[in-house]
Amino acid sequence: MAYPADYRYTKEHEWIKVDGNIGTVGITDYAQNSLGDIVFVDLPKVGDTVEAAKSFGSVESVKAVSDLFAPVSGKVTAINEELKDAPEKINTDANTTWLLKVELADAKQVDGLLTAADYEKFTSEETGH
């Protein structure tokens, strides 16, 4: 699976796509593949503040519950309401199924995240492939 080049990535397997001062956040295909069938997503409320590298929610699969970590700090401006009734959409297309949108507190935080090439290298080292 190719990772979109215009996204940035965390070592905790979240992605962010920045448009102006809004970042759209999701989990990577690698993460959803490792989790298996996703059955529930716990997200913050619109208006909540998230902090870079801190947990902002969780994703539950048939295998495990995993924390979600914010790639940047900011205020939540939207959550993907479709995931309440259909969390499995993440399994179908993790690269386009977003979790939340965040108004960036500091756009420079994005520069510290992994590029698609760096993330691909990181995951291959993690799996030994």
Side-chain angles (χ1 to χ4, degrees):
M1 163 66 64
Y3 295 99
D6 59 335
Y7 291 14
R8 290 297 187 115
Y9 301 88
T10 70
K11 289 186 176 181
E12 292 76 35
H13 309 291
E14 285 81 23
W15 57 258
I16 184 167
K17 180 179 183 184
V18 177
D19 185 13
N21 70 335
I22 300 294
T24 302
V25 178
I27 65 169
T28 66
D29 189 64
Y30 178 90
Q32 75 77 22
N33 195 42
S34 298
L35 285 165
D37 294 337
I38 294 172
V39 295
F40 181 74
V41 180
D42 181 33
L43 298 172
K45 293 177 175 60
V46 171
D48 285 356
T49 300
V50 296
E51 192 175 331
K54 303 280 186 194
S55 176
F56 68 81
S58 62
V59 61
E60 183 177 338
S61 72
V62 293
K63 292 182 185 178
V65 176
S66 293
D67 284 333
L68 296 166
F69 293 92
V72 295
S73 298
K75 187 168 106 177
V76 177
T77 61
I79 60 165
N80 189 342
E81 298 285 350
E82 289 182 343
L83 298 179
K84 285 182 182 174
D85 296 324
E88 68 278 0
K89 283 183 175 230
I90 296 169
N91 292 115
T92 308
D93 191 358
N95 287 340
T96 62
T97 305
W98 60 280
L99 302 172
L100 52 84
K101 295 183 186 239
V102 177
E103 184 177 346
L104 306 178
D106 180 2
K108 289 185 176 102
Q109 287 180 328
V110 175
D111 297 338
L113 300 173
L114 301 172
T115 64
D118 291 339
Y119 181 72
E120 218 160 317
K121 183 177 181 207
F122 171 74
T123 58
S124 68
E125 288 170 357
E126 201 170 71
T127 61
H129 293 99

